[in-house]
């Protein structure tokens, strides 16, 4: 069974993600099918634009099929893990270098792998129902899919903030920081999709459609607390803002960020900060190579299996990560995972 559908009409090749029960989480078959379709369309003169949509009103794509990756990790099937991430990153890389306009319509959850098949494309249209996040540190993993390239290129501190905390932003907020390129209200997304399917240029299709509003992001606080290449220093700064004894000094936002960080794997936090710092000085290709090595290494750690168990399987949200604090994370372990 294929979880994607594709069609070509009026010069537009449309890929519809259709795995609603899993919120369009990308399994191996979806990654491979999407890659094959895009390769074929890249050389097809009848296709001038690619449009990627979802058959679900709940999600664009909630990420990779992390349950299957955990199962492979528990079984020690390292070949399956390498095959999955290699295939996924190859797809993301193809999208980043695609020779034709690539348009994603994002309504609902777009996390992890869902950003891999959208952010690397030329056009990302979001709605007020879009929910954008990279929540990997909570499951003992790290933000991948080329995000270690695009996260450090967002406004000051935003990459670390999103990558370390897994903070969720709305569609309009994603537009503020450059993760999205355009926004429309959800009720008008079908109108936009039909106009694009008819072959109308994007500017014409967007004409007259309503744009959603959103509360502005606290970019000043993000820049104050999340700039730097050390997860421990970031956590220390946030702790200082709320008081060494845990007394709130008015920095409720800092307290909320600390709460998010305390649910994450300490090893994942250290690895994520190191990968984002390295990505700031690297090409996209180099980031993918580094992420593949890190994915192979970190999925073999106990934190990965435990994190996925706590968040996605048992859903008790009570993982037992080892080590339990950032201070206990071994620098040599981080260097081995990152590939330094």
């Amino acid at each position: 069974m294929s979880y994607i559908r594709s069609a070509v009409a009026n010069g537009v090749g449309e890929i519809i993600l259709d795995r609603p029960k899993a919120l369009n989480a990308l399994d191996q078959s979806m990654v491979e099918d999407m890659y094959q379709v895009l390769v074929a369309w890249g050389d097809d003169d009848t296709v001038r634009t690619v449009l990627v949509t979802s058959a679900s009103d709940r999600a664009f794509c909630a990420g990779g099929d992390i349950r299957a990756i955990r199962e492979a990790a528990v079984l020690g099937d390292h070949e399956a893990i390498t095959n999955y991430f290699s295939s996924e990153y190859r797809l993301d890389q193809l999208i980043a270098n695609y020779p034709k306009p690539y348009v994603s319509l994002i309504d609902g959850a777009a996390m992890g792998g869902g950003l891999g098949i959208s952010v690397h494309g030329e056009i990302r249209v979001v709605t007020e129902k879009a929910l954008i996040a990279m929540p990997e540190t909570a499951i003992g993993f790290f933000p991948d899919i080329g995000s270690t390239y695009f996260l450090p290129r967002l406004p000051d501190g935003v990459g670390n903030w999103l990558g370390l905390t897994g903070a969720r932003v709305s569609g309009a907020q994603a537009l503020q920081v450059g993760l999205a390129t355009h926004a429309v209200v959800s009720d008008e997304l079908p109108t936009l999709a039909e106009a694009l399917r008819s072959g109308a240029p994007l500017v014409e299709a967007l004409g007259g459609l309503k744009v959603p509003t959103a509360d502005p992001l606290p970019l000043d606080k993000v820049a104050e607390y999340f700039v730097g290449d050390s997860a421990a220093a970031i956590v220390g700064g946030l702790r200082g803002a709320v008081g060494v004894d845990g007394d709130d000094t008015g920095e409720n936002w800092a307290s909320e960020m600390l709460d998010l960080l305390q649910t994450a794997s300490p090893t994942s936090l250290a690895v994520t900060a190191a990968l984002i710092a390295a990505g700031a000085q690297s090409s996209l290709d180099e980031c993918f190579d580094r992420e593949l090595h890190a994915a192979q290494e970190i999925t073999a750690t106990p934190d990965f299996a435990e994190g996925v168990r706590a968040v996605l399987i048992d859903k008790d949200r009570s993982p037992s990560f080892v080590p339990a604090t950032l201070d206990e994370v071994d620098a040599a372990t981080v260097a081995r995972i990152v590939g330094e």
Side-chain angles (χ1 to χ4, degrees):
M1 177 180 179
S2 178
Y3 292 116
I4 71 166
R5 293 181 278 127
S6 62
V8 177
N10 305 311
V12 178
E14 182 176 6
I15 293 175
I16 303 171
L17 306 174
D18 193 11
R19 194 187 178 201
K21 290 183 179 180
L23 300 180
N24 292 336
L26 297 169
D27 70 359
Q28 186 77 43
S29 71
M30 292 174 75
V31 168
E32 293 176 354
D33 290 349
M34 195 169 175
Y35 180 83
Q36 291 169 5
V37 169
L38 288 174
V39 167
W41 285 351
D43 295 326
D44 187 343
D45 292 339
T46 67
V47 177
R48 296 187 297 274
T49 300
V50 170
L51 177 65
V52 183
T53 62
S54 169
S56 168
D57 59 2
R58 295 178 58 203
F60 173 74
C61 172
D65 193 359
I66 208 70
R67 290 171 179 260
I69 298 303
R70 180 188 186 272
E71 183 176 348
V74 170
L75 294 174
D77 190 350
H78 305 300
E79 182 177 352
I81 293 172
T82 298
N83 186 42
Y84 178 83
F85 287 116
S86 297
S87 300
E88 184 181 25
Y89 300 167
R90 181 181 67 164
L91 170 62
D92 298 336
Q93 206 160 20
L94 173 65
I95 293 168
N97 299 318
Y98 208 64
K100 301 176 181 181
Y102 180 101
V103 183
S104 304
L105 302 187
I106 303 172
D107 190 39
M111 302 183 181
L115 298 185
I117 60 170
S118 57
V119 171
H120 293 297
E122 183 177 348
I123 303 295
R124 291 91 65 191
V125 183
V126 293
T127 76
E128 76 281 4
K129 293 182 180 179
L131 188 65
I132 313 295
M134 296 294 295
E136 288 80 6
T137 59
I139 59 169
F141 197 62
F142 63 91
D144 63 333
I145 51 84
S147 72
T148 60
Y149 178 81
F150 65 72
L151 285 176
R153 287 163 176 81
L154 299 180
D156 287 350
V158 171
N160 276 336
W161 173 55
L162 295 176
L164 293 172
T165 67
R168 300 178 175 190
V169 297
S170 70
Q173 290 171 332
L175 188 63
Q176 292 176 31
V177 297
L179 288 173
T181 59
H182 301 78
V184 299
V185 297
S186 183
D187 289 347
E188 296 194 344
L189 194 66
T191 300
L192 173 62
E194 284 305 314
L196 293 173
R197 291 181 187 119
S198 74
L202 179 67
V203 173
E204 178 183 319
L206 286 168
L209 299 183
K210 297 177 182 177
V211 177
T213 59
D215 293 334
L217 292 169
L219 295 181
D220 55 339
K221 292 183 179 180
V222 170
E224 180 179 357
Y225 294 113
F226 281 89
V227 170
D229 58 6
S230 167
I234 289 170
V235 169
L238 290 167
R239 285 176 177 161
V242 300
V244 292
D245 295 323
D247 296 328
D248 198 327
T249 60
E251 286 287 353
N252 292 326
W253 183 83
S255 295
E256 292 169 5
M257 295 307 103
L258 275 176
D259 288 344
L260 289 175
L261 291 167
Q262 287 166 358
T263 66
S265 157
T267 299
S268 290
L269 292 176
V271 166
T272 296
L275 287 170
I276 291 175
Q281 309 300 324
S282 303
S283 68
L284 178 60
D285 290 356
E286 290 169 336
C287 287
F288 277 126
D289 288 343
R290 191 180 295 116
E291 287 175 12
L292 179 58
H293 173 82
Q296 292 167 322
E297 293 288 335
I298 207 166
T299 52
T301 67
D303 272 14
F304 175 69
E306 173 64 2
V308 178
R309 178 206 65 76
V311 175
L312 297 178
I313 298 176
D314 296 339
K315 300 181 180 179
D316 57 28
R317 296 279 174 173
S318 298
S320 296
F321 291 129
V322 179
T325 68
L326 266 171
D327 291 340
E328 298 173 280
V329 175
D330 180 40
T333 298
V334 175
R336 172 178 56 78
I337 294 172
V338 173
E340 294 178 343

